Amino acid sequence: MEPIKTETPSGAAPSATSPFAASAILAAALLLPGVQAQAEAPPTNGVISIGYLDYKDSQSGLDRIHVKAPSVSVMAPVAGVWSISASAVNDDVSGATPRYHSAVSGASRMSDHRTAGDVAVKRYFDRGSLTVGAAYSSEDDYLSRALSLSGTFESEDRNTTWSAGIGRANDEINPTNQIVRDERKHSTNLLLGVTQVLGKADVVQVTLAHDIGKGYFNDPYKFPDNRPRSRDESTLLLRWNHYVEATGGTSRTSYRYYRDSFGVRGHTLGQEFVQPLADGWTVTPEVRLYTQRAADFYFDPVYDQALGQPFPPGYSPSNFASADYRLSGFGAVTLGLKVSKQIDKDWSVDAKVSAYQQRGSWRAFGSGSPGLEPLRARTIQLAVNRTW
């Protein structure tokens, strides 16, 4: 079965990294939620959240991946200067995925179950914090374990926060088609960031990330697919929050630049507006634009005259080559709307719906990859939150 981590479009460059790898833990630890404008302080209350995600994507003539994922997360303060947080999720995945490009005739059926979780312990100091995290993800053909260490440090006036982190993920790959057995992939993740309060209405954040990966990066369920056994990834993330006094809302703008040693170059521009309303309601519309250049070894759906589909012209098993549409050149648009309700001081609920569409012709800064069917996806997320 093809791992769900490589199927779900996220408006970011395709990655073979496990969704609960060290980079994910570091991002959660270092990217302050909403780029907060207040100093980090030990929590006085605990929070538990129960959520549910329903994801489905499709192409012309093919109902593709369908994911149903209940989850739970909890955070508890300890002794006034500590906090412990943990989360768990169960994914039920089913559907079909093309073995090469977006050909319906090459699609294979799939069904899988994934169990994943993470835990983090955080120590708060007068002007900073230190977090240790661990994560685990298991499915029929993929096992991932990760550890991370991150910290923050605030300036004396509390207007500047520096952050840094390091993580390590170790993955084991055993595809059900037994093309390979006991393959390994290891990645080291490094992050540096700074958050700056510019005034009572503006906060900005800059984060640099670099991942060093070694091991098996092929997709064992796509053919032909032969990728380098190393992948270095670098990301620059810029975020700006602006409080609009006239409406009491907050504009959140972000830009992300991504590049890797496969040759992929990606740009993501995001915009959302958090608008509080009467009686505890909040609405957050969102739009995200994404574009990427194809990997150096991606080949268009033009096939060798002698060998036919799905082999590229001049095919050799020793050459790097991939027909994975996620490594193609394309553009994508995501539209979303989140609605939240604060029921009382302890209870809140929220729901989010988003729609995603991806096309080769939408690529910016160059021509997209031809001959691919558009990909469409929709996501529904629900959550109930309790503070104690």
Side-chain angles (χ1 to χ4, degrees):
M1 192 225 81
E2 184 172 2
I4 183 61
K5 60 190 150 289
T6 62
E7 275 295 336
T8 305
S10 62
S15 174
T17 305
S18 169
F20 281 86
S23 57
I25 314 174
L26 284 175
L30 297 182
L31 299 181
L32 305 182
V35 194
Q36 298 178 22
Q38 65 269 17
E40 192 175 20
T44 57
N45 297 300
V47 179
I48 183 170
S49 298
I50 298 175
Y52 180 80
L53 178 145
D54 188 282
Y55 167 88
K56 189 174 184 179
D57 61 30
S58 63
Q59 290 175 303
S60 298
L62 178 64
D63 287 331
R64 288 169 37 88
I65 305 301
H66 191 188
V67 183
K68 300 176 181 179
S71 63
V72 60
S73 64
V74 62
M75 186 281 296
V78 179
V81 294
W82 296 83
S83 71
I84 298 176
S85 58
S87 67
V89 61
N90 278 287
D91 293 340
D92 284 316
V93 187
S94 61
T97 177
R99 288 196 178 101
Y100 60 93
H101 293 117
S102 53
V104 174
S105 60
S108 59
R109 301 300 301 178
M110 55 176 286
S111 178
D112 194 20
H113 180 81
R114 180 177 69 98
T115 301
D118 65 85
V119 61
V121 177
K122 191 169 188 175
R123 173 65 160 93
Y124 296 84
F125 302 96
D126 289 341
R127 290 168 53 188
S129 66
L130 187 66
T131 303
V132 177
Y136 177 87
S137 177
S138 175
E139 49 196 291
D140 290 344
D141 55 1
Y142 205 99
L143 178 66
S144 180
R145 303 180 184 90
L147 296 172
S148 69
L149 175 67
S150 61
T152 65
F153 180 76
E154 298 172 347
S155 62
E156 188 173 354
D157 62 6
R158 308 287 185 175
N159 286 333
T160 305
T161 301
W162 293 275
S163 53
I166 184 170
R168 176 73 173 180
N170 296 298
D171 302 343
E172 300 176 15
I173 303 102
N174 283 286
T176 56
N177 57 16
Q178 299 186 354
I179 287 180
V180 295
R181 298 296 298 172
D182 297 324
E183 274 287 1
R184 298 290 190 271
K185 177 158 57 62
H186 311 285
S187 60
T188 300
N189 321 106
L190 306 170
L191 278 86
L192 292 173
V194 60
T195 303
Q196 179 67 49
V197 178
L198 300 181
K200 67 177 184 179
D202 295 282
V203 184
V204 296
Q205 186 179 72
V206 180
T207 304
L208 293 171
H210 185 67
D211 295 353
I212 304 169
K214 303 291 184 181
Y216 185 77
F217 287 91
N218 294 358
D219 187 327
Y221 302 100
K222 295 191 181 300
F223 183 80
D225 198 276
N226 183 30
R227 310 180 191 188
R229 291 190 65 87
S230 65
R231 187 180 193 181
D232 292 349
E233 304 170 84
S234 298
T235 304
L236 168 66
L237 177 62
L238 308 176
R239 304 174 75 186
W240 169 41
N241 277 18
H242 175 69
Y243 175 72
V244 180
E245 187 173 359
T247 67
T250 301
S251 169
R252 296 177 177 174
T253 305
S254 64
Y255 168 75
R256 177 182 183 269
Y257 174 71
Y258 169 93
R259 63 177 293 159
D260 66 18
S261 57
F262 285 4
V264 176
R265 303 290 183 267
H267 304 265
T268 307
L269 181 63
Q271 179 64 56
E272 62 182 26
F273 194 88
V274 183
Q275 181 59 60
L277 302 174
D279 300 323
W281 290 93
T282 302
V283 295
T284 307
E286 174 191 23
V287 60
R288 185 171 58 201
L289 308 177
Y290 178 72
T291 184
Q292 78 169 38
R293 189 180 81 182
D296 295 336
F297 48 84
Y298 171 81
F299 65 92
D300 294 327
V302 176
Y303 306 110
D304 189 274
Q305 292 185 356
L307 298 175
Q309 297 183 6
F311 300 98
Y315 171 74
S316 171
S318 62
N319 294 338
F320 294 134
S322 179
D324 190 338
Y325 74 95
R326 293 162 297 184
L327 294 175
S328 67
F330 64 86
V333 177
T334 302
L335 299 177
L337 178 65
K338 179 179 178 180
V339 179
S340 304
K341 168 65 173 176
Q342 188 71 41
I343 299 173
D344 56 30
K345 67 181 183 68
D346 295 328
W347 290 91
S348 66
V349 295
D350 54 73
K352 182 177 180 180
V353 178
S354 60
Y356 171 94
Q357 188 166 164
Q358 170 183 315
R359 295 174 180 261
S361 60
W362 287 355
R363 185 200 163 190
F365 315 116
S367 299
S369 300
L372 300 178
E373 288 289 335
L375 173 68
R376 300 174 181 85
R378 64 105 178 108
T379 305
I380 300 172
Q381 300 175 71
L382 306 171
V384 178
N385 314 295
R386 172 71 160 87
T387 302
W388 77 87

